[in-house]
Amino acid sequence: MSLWESKESNGKVSLASLFKGDADVAAISDLTIEGLAYATCRGGWPASTKLKERAALRVARNYIEEVINYDVHRVDGVDKNTTRVRKLLESYARNISTMAANETIMADVRATDQTISPNTFAVYLSALRRIFIVDDVPAWSPALRSKTKIRTAPKRHFVDPSIAAALMGTNPQGLLKDFPTFGFLFEDLCARDLRVYAQALDGEVYHYRDKNELECDLVIALRDGRWGAVEVKLGKNEEEDAAKHLIELSEDIDSQRMKAPSFLMILTGGQYAYRRADGVYVVPIGCLKD
C-alpha cells in the first residue's frame, strides 16, 4: 500500500494533475518526520496498518524470515543456502537506492562465503525478483541534445522500504538518529509510492544518470510520451542543488524528438507543497496521490 492508500498522505497534490499542467500547488502535509520514520519501518503491508506499533514493526521481520527459509526455495524448486540468501539481502539493504554493481554485492557475500559463483549469485537474485522482494528501478534512456552517454545500470530497490529497515536491524528511532540512512530508505519509499501512482496512470518509473554524473532520482514516463522528473530529498538542505539538476536535465532533452517535461518535482519529507519561482514543484510525500 502507498501512503495515500494507508491514509498517511492527505492526497492534496495529485500526480495526474501535475501531468495535466496544474500549476496551483499549495498544501500542507499532516505527516510528521516521526510518522514518516514509522511508516518507512512498518511498510505498506495491509495487515501491518491495522496493528499496534510493536506488532506492526514485526511484520516485515517475520516476512523476511519466511522468504529466507521457505519462499526463495519454492519459487524455482531449488534448495538454497539460507545464509547466502540472508547475506545477499543484507548487502542489498546496505546498497539501497544506489547503482551498486552485482560485483559489489557479490563481494559483500564473499566476505563470509568465498565459494559463491556469479552463476549461483544470478540464480539467487532471480529467485528474489520472482517473489517480488527485489524490485530494481531501470535506467531511463531519453533523447538528448548532447552526445552524453547514459548509464544503463538499474538502481537497487526493494518492493517496500520496511524490508531494508528490517535487514539493517533499525527502527523508527534508529532512523531519526541516522539521517543519511533514513534518506536512502526514504527514496525507496518514494519509489514504491510513485510506482503505485504511475501504474494508475499507465506509466512506469525509471531513474536517470549520465557519464557526466548528472542524475535524476526518479523519472515517471507515461505511454503517451508525457514524463516528469523527480529528485528525492528528505529535508530542505539540498533543495537548491536538486532544482538545478532537474532544470539541467530538462534543458538537455531533445525537444524535437521528445516532449518537454510535464513537471519537475522535488519530493520531500517536509510539510509544505508549493511551486518555486523557477517552476520546480516542492511536494511532501505526505501530500501526494495518483
Side-chain angles (χ1 to χ4, degrees), residues 89-268:
L89 286 169
E90 289 173 350
S91 179
Y92 235 85
R94 286 192 294 272
N95 289 287
I96 195 74
S97 302
T98 75
M99 294 172 64
N102 284 350
E103 291 76 12
T104 300
I105 298 171
M106 268 191 24
D108 271 359
V109 179
R110 280 179 173 159
T112 55
D113 181 1
Q114 294 283 339
T115 62
I116 188 169
S117 68
N119 286 342
T120 300
F121 175 85
V123 169
Y124 279 44
L125 189 56
S126 174
L128 291 169
R129 287 189 176 122
R130 289 173 64 184
I131 56 176
F132 304 105
I133 299 298
V134 168
D135 196 11
D136 292 342
V137 171
W140 188 53
S141 298
L144 301 176
R145 288 193 180 98
S146 64
K147 295 182 179 179
T148 304
K149 292 184 178 179
I150 298 169
R151 297 181 184 272
T152 58
K155 216 170 194 183
R156 305 301 184 178
H157 282 281
F158 287 111
V159 72
D160 190 275
S162 64
I163 296 173
L167 287 162
M168 290 176 178
T170 192
N171 62 15
Q173 292 72 35
L175 289 186
L176 291 170
K177 294 175 183 177
D178 184 358
F179 269 78
T181 297
F182 193 177
F184 286 114
L185 268 65
F186 176 63
E187 184 175 334
D188 195 54
L189 180 146
C190 290
R192 179 201 72 188
D193 278 16
L194 285 177
R195 277 174 156 161
V196 172
Y197 304 149
Q199 286 170 7
L201 303 176
D202 199 19
E204 298 289 341
V205 174
Y206 303 89
H207 80 93
Y208 174 87
R209 188 170 184 177
D210 63 31
K211 295 291 185 179
N212 295 327
E213 304 305 317
L214 176 62
E215 62 180 321
C216 181
D217 291 326
L218 299 165
V219 175
I220 307 159
L222 306 187
R223 291 185 182 275
D224 62 10
R226 288 179 293 166
W227 63 279
V230 181
E231 277 282 88
V232 177
K233 301 299 175 191
L234 183 58
K236 288 184 63 67
N237 293 343
E238 300 175 281
E239 184 180 303
E240 292 303 320
D241 281 345
K244 179 183 175 183
H245 292 162
L246 289 168
I247 292 168
E248 285 179 3
L249 173 60
S250 69
E251 291 175 344
D252 200 26
I253 296 297
D254 187 344
S255 57
Q256 294 184 342
R257 299 170 61 191
M258 288 185 63
K259 295 180 180 181
S262 297
F263 62 87
L264 305 174
M265 178 170 64
I266 303 170
L267 195 55
T268 78

